Amino acid sequence: MAKWEILNIDPWLKDYENDINLRMESFERQRQKLLGKGKKLTDFANAHNYYGFHKTKTGWIYREWAPHAEGLYLIGDFNNWDRHSHPMKKINDEDWEIEIKGIRTLAHKSRVKVLVDANGSIRDRIPIYATRVERNENLDYAAIIQNPRKKFVWEDDGFKTQKDNLLIYEAHIGMAGEEGKVSSYKEFEKHVLPRIKKGGYNTIQLMAIAEHPYYGSFGYQVANFFAPSSWYGENDELKSLVNTAHKLGLNVIMDLVHSHSVKNTAEGINEFDGTVYQFFHDGEEGNHPDWDSKLFDYKKPGVCHFLLSNIKYWLEEYHFDGFRFDGVTSMIYKDHGRGEAFDSYKKYFSMNTDIEAINYLQLANQLAREIKSDVITIAEDMSGMPGMCLPISYGGIGFDYRLAMGMPDFWEKSLLKRDEDWDLSQMWYELSTHRPEEKRVSYVESHDQALVGSKTTIFRLADQEMYWNMRKDDHNIIIDRAVALHKMIRWITISMGADAYLNFMGNEFGHPEWIDFPREGNGYSYHYARRQWSLADSKDLKYQYLNNFDTAMIEFVKNNKQLSTETYRLWIDNDRKIIAYRNKDVVYIFNFHPENSYESFHLPIHDIGEFIVAMDTDESRFGGFDRISHEEVYKTERLAGTDYDGIKIYIPSRTGLALKKIQ
């Protein structure tokens, strides 16, 4: 028996046992280095409770981590921005401190910065552990003191995180409104949460929550890791949003960016103490070649202290139920996985593998579970690193799920081909294959596919015809094809062995066009950075059909417990473009042929009993033509010329259907 369970789960890893041992030994060394004896990660991850601004009985205390700085001075509204009146004292080799007399000296919502004298320059900086950062009318960012008279009162004590069978609604607060502006936490809570609940989703994945100076970065250029984004409103308004989501029974997970940081010095943490290497790798190793951002040095205790405390902060202060870790592939390979196919196990275990980053992710997962036993963690990893979603005790990295990033790539490539050329065997492989005992989030498209320069599924299918032919009474062969395939693609993706499912905000009803945030190149327009909910609500447009289908699909998946199950292939016919499979007691048949319907298709089920059609994509409520009867009972029989039992059934072109056994 192997030392690590991962080697028993995946026999192909036997040749890499030494690499697994090296990874785990390194993890234990780093853990001991950070904790010593007898301490837990929860005891270690408290930097935010020490650094930053904290009230005392007689006033305030502010501490900062700046090992190589030569002098720090607190400046702000409270002292009329006097640059020398409030020097900080260096209390050890790394930390600085100042006590401020009087509780009211630092007024609620007053602006502060810290002047840092380091490496021959003097800069006004934002405190590293600031919990609120705003820009003024001059576009100057500063930390904002948080000292409200009333503390937010949580009302979610009875909420229990649903960890399994996740139905994830990926959302961006700022672009969630229909008006041409940055939408708010309040508006999302009032208008969007009810839509998500009504649609049947059980988990919200919120993007762009940590403060980022450039709105158009989609939140991936984080500057202030402990500050909720001020683009959308006040801190307590984010808490209210999460609180209301919990009262609706919805998980809320945060898109966490620990893979890199904005390189800005005025707004961010780069060169805070005068050195590049306080947080990041020195030299070119500390620069991401594609993202124009800085890369963390995960072996440093100070960096681990900062990032692990950040995880604890969001879980405890804002009651998030977990995280989607962004950019995991970039973290765990020294070349960031750029252009790599990952078609060999050798590519997972080489000198290119960043063991220090893997160890950090193990620590992050272990900490999150110490804080919240039912926490949800999802890895954005396109490489397929073995063990990503296995427990650390097995020799894994500890995530619950990985994003199945090959699926949207598969659909994108398929949509570039003629329907007749789609490879259904490849479809089966891409949608049903996964690493043993590792869960994945299946999806057709996320925000990545919606960004300008790419295309959503519906826009690839319909393109400019969406502008002219989406009225309910319009008849257009391009739109008919687009509506039919949009439904089929989503249904086959969620039903063919998914452990969880993700949809990006608005794509459930085929939101038109792309996402393009305000910038100089588009005249700083918000036209493409919003969601046109009225399209789905209109009874005159076909968007309602896609919305109806998505709601029914999610309900069907939940009612029939179709997630985290094994699927069994029943039939693949590439010539007739039919694929059929079984998921528990549901039999799915998809006919992707653009023209051919089959009057009496012989489908092997390898079962005896009676079946009825429980749902199909051709129903009129989904914009279809009602070509399939839901009343007819299909009795299994020994199919002629075979030694197995099955049914004979009518399958129209471009239609998917689900049969349920009734006896």
Side-chain angles (χ1 to χ4, degrees):
M1 183 68 69
K3 179 179 180 181
W4 303 107
E5 183 62 21
I6 188 175
L7 301 172
N8 299 319
I9 291 171
D10 187 351
W12 290 98
L13 288 172
K14 186 63 180 174
D15 291 342
Y16 303 95
E17 184 171 2
N18 289 338
D19 296 274
I20 300 294
N21 288 335
L22 178 65
R23 172 195 294 179
M24 298 308 296
E25 289 166 4
S26 176
F27 166 69
E28 192 54 39
R29 281 197 305 272
Q30 179 72 336
R31 194 175 184 281
Q32 289 300 318
K33 180 180 177 181
L34 297 177
L35 305 185
K37 290 185 178 180
K39 288 179 67 177
K40 292 185 175 182
L41 282 166
T42 48
D43 302 321
F44 171 75
N46 283 309
H48 56 297
N49 292 323
Y50 179 75
Y51 297 112
F53 292 89
H54 301 282
K55 283 196 294 185
T56 66
K57 291 182 179 179
T58 58
W60 293 80
I61 191 163
Y62 164 53
R63 299 188 188 94
E64 200 61 86
W65 179 55
H68 296 92
E70 297 163 20
L72 271 71
Y73 300 81
L74 183 61
I75 58 177
D77 292 339
F78 77 101
N79 65 359
N80 293 316
W81 298 90
D82 189 310
R83 300 173 71 77
H84 302 288
S85 63
H86 287 76
M88 298 180 69
K89 178 182 178 182
K90 195 167 190 180
I91 57 176
N92 54 44
D93 290 341
E94 298 189 342
D95 301 331
W96 299 75
E97 179 181 281
I98 185 172
E99 293 187 42
I100 307 295
K101 298 296 183 182
I103 295 291
R104 296 183 180 179
T105 304
L106 297 181
H108 179 54
K109 293 190 72 66
S110 60
R111 294 166 61 85
V112 292
K113 290 189 180 185
V114 57
L115 183 154
V116 180
D117 181 356
N119 199 23
S121 67
I122 297 175
R123 295 175 177 173
D124 294 356
R125 303 300 302 264
I126 295 174
I128 292 174
Y129 288 84
T131 58
R132 178 77 182 173
V133 174
E134 294 179 8
R135 64 176 184 171
N136 62 15
E137 62 277 5
N138 297 318
L139 306 184
D140 180 49
Y141 283 83
I144 307 299
I145 294 296
Q146 295 293 283
N147 187 24
R149 290 187 177 183
K150 291 184 178 180
K151 286 193 66 176
F152 182 82
V153 179
W154 289 93
E155 300 171 332
D156 62 348
D157 287 347
F159 176 74
K160 183 172 176 57
T161 301
Q162 180 175 331
K163 191 176 176 69
D164 298 318
N165 304 321
L166 301 184
L167 296 161
I168 304 169
Y169 198 87
E170 184 185 32
H172 184 282
I173 302 291
M175 58 172 289
E178 188 148 358
E179 295 180 58
K181 65 170 189 173
V182 178
S183 194
S184 69
Y185 295 123
K186 281 185 173 181
E187 290 166 323
F188 191 94
E189 178 181 347
K190 181 178 180 181
H191 300 298
V192 183
L193 285 184
R195 286 183 178 273
I196 298 171
K197 178 66 176 178
K198 184 178 180 181
Y201 291 87
N202 57 29
T203 303
I204 306 168
Q205 179 179 299
L206 290 180
M207 305 174 62
I209 292 300
E211 187 62 74
H212 48 288
Y214 177 45
Y215 181 57
S217 73
F218 233 142
Y220 291 118
Q221 294 280 347
V222 174
N224 314 108
F225 285 76
F226 291 82
S229 177
S230 60
W231 286 105
Y232 324 125
E234 299 293 333
N235 291 11
D236 280 359
E237 291 167 358
L238 173 58
K239 291 180 180 179
S240 179
L241 187 162
V242 175
N243 190 59
T244 298
H246 283 169
K247 289 196 284 187
L248 290 171
L250 300 171
N251 300 327
V252 186
I253 60 178
M254 175 182 172
D255 199 343
L256 189 72
V257 185
H258 281 186
S259 49
H260 64 129
S261 175
V262 69
K263 70 178 184 180
N264 304 28
T265 55
E267 298 91 3
I269 60 175
N270 187 24
E271 299 180 23
F272 185 87
D273 74 344
T275 67
V276 173
Y277 51 82
Q278 180 183 5
F279 285 99
F280 310 113
H281 288 289
D282 203 1
E284 282 306 305
E285 189 180 357
N287 300 318
H288 197 288
D290 298 326
W291 299 344
D292 194 29
S293 56
K294 302 299 295 183
L295 300 174
F296 288 105
D297 186 347
Y298 300 104
K299 72 176 179 294
K300 289 189 172 182
V303 173
C304 289
H305 200 202
F306 175 76
L307 293 175
L308 292 174
S309 299
N310 191 236
I311 288 172
K312 185 175 184 179
Y313 171 77
W314 290 113
L315 288 175
E316 293 188 340
E317 185 69 18
Y318 286 88
H319 289 205
F320 280 105
D321 301 298
F323 304 101
R324 169 213 187 253
F325 281 72
D326 177 68
V328 167
T329 305
S330 174
M331 294 172 69
I332 64 177
Y333 302 102
K334 294 176 182 177
D335 66 357
H336 313 298
R338 300 166 72 222
E340 188 57 73
F342 294 101
D343 51 4
S344 165
Y345 272 59
K346 292 180 181 179
K347 294 180 179 179
Y348 299 122
F349 304 99
S350 71
M351 296 301 291
N352 184 43
T353 307
D354 192 330
I355 293 179
E356 293 160 357
I358 290 175
N359 291 159
Y360 167 70
L361 292 171
Q362 291 174 306
L363 290 167
N365 276 289
Q366 190 170 81
L367 168 68
R369 294 189 206 301
E370 284 184 15
I371 297 167
K372 181 177 169 62
S373 60
D374 55 0
V375 73
I376 300 163
T377 60
I378 302 171
E380 189 211 19
D381 171 39
M382 52 75 63
S383 75
M385 167 64 79
M388 183 66 71
C389 302
L390 289 177
I392 297 168
S393 60
Y394 284 21
I397 299 176
F399 285 95
D400 294 306
Y401 300 87
R402 67 151 48 88
L403 288 174
M405 300 181 73
M407 291 186 186
D409 287 344
F410 166 76
W411 286 120
E412 186 174 323
K413 291 173 183 175
S414 295
L415 292 172
L416 294 174
K417 303 175 183 177
R418 299 186 313 156
D419 298 4
E420 296 89 335
D421 296 330
W422 284 17
D423 186 339
L424 301 191
S425 296
Q426 183 68 19
M427 184 184 296
W428 169 262
Y429 175 81
E430 292 290 347
L431 300 184
S432 67
T433 306
H434 59 91
R435 293 201 177 281
E437 297 190 29
E438 298 199 42
K439 293 183 178 181
R440 65 208 173 128
V441 179
S442 298
Y443 64 109
V444 177
E445 53 192 344
S446 67
H447 70 274
D448 286 326
Q449 286 69 43
L451 284 169
V452 63
S454 186
K455 283 187 176 182
T456 61
T457 301
I458 193 68
F459 218 56
R460 288 185 183 278
L461 289 165
D463 213 334
Q464 62 183 359
E465 296 299 325
M466 293 190 74
Y467 295 119
W468 323 113
N469 294 291
M470 285 297 284
R471 294 191 66 81
K472 185 171 64 173
D473 298 327
D474 290 340
H475 297 287
N476 179 281
I477 58 172
I478 294 176
I479 293 297
D480 288 347
R481 171 181 177 267
V483 169
L485 289 179
H486 192 272
K487 293 178 290 186
M488 294 176 71
I489 287 169
R490 277 167 156 66
W491 201 11
I492 199 169
T493 299
I494 195 174
S495 62
M496 197 182 279
D499 298 297
Y501 177 75
L502 178 142
N503 168 72
F504 178 67
M505 177 175 67
N507 286 355
E508 69 275 12
F509 65 83
H511 196 285
E513 300 175 320
W514 51 87
I515 298 169
D516 190 10
F517 285 96
R519 56 187 174 86
E520 185 178 2
N522 65 15
Y524 298 100
S525 170
Y526 286 89
H527 180 75
Y528 297 109
R530 60 194 180 109
R531 295 287 89 175
Q532 299 178 62
W533 304 108
S534 59
L535 297 176
D537 295 340
S538 174
K539 299 303 180 184
D540 297 323
L541 300 175
K542 293 184 178 181
Y543 297 100
Q544 64 177 307
Y545 298 138
L546 298 179
N547 197 55
N548 292 345
F549 176 77
D550 194 79
T551 301
M553 177 186 77
I554 295 296
E555 182 181 15
F556 186 88
V557 165
K558 290 196 294 188
N559 290 344
N560 293 283
K561 298 179 173 57
Q562 295 290 279
L563 295 177
S564 295
T565 59
E566 289 296 324
T567 51
Y568 302 94
R569 184 174 65 183
L570 298 175
W571 196 263
I572 293 179
D573 189 328
N574 256 319
D575 292 328
R576 290 193 283 183
K577 289 291 173 270
I578 288 181
I579 183 169
Y581 53 95
R582 186 162 185 164
N583 184 334
K584 297 183 75 172
D585 64 343
V586 179
V587 173
Y588 293 92
I589 315 171
F590 286 82
N591 178 7
F592 283 98
H593 201 284
E595 297 174 350
N596 294 347
S597 299
Y598 304 101
E599 289 290 340
S600 185
F601 181 77
H602 290 204
L603 177 68
I605 293 182
H606 308 289
D607 194 1
I608 298 174
E610 297 181 351
F611 292 79
I612 60 169
V613 174
M615 178 174 160
D616 74 88
T617 61
D618 196 49
E619 296 177 45
S620 57
R621 60 180 174 146
F622 308 143
F625 304 99
D626 276 334
R627 291 174 289 178
I628 300 173
S629 169
H630 287 213
E631 304 299 324
E632 185 172 350
V633 176
Y634 299 92
K635 296 182 179 180
T636 57
E637 57 184 275
R638 181 57 52 92
L639 297 177
T642 73
D643 59 354
Y644 47 75
D645 295 297
I647 61 171
K648 297 176 182 178
I649 188 170
Y650 169 55
I651 311 176
S653 61
R654 286 201 184 117
T655 299
L657 60 86
L659 292 154
K660 284 196 67 177
K661 189 175 182 180
I662 55 175
Q663 68 175 38

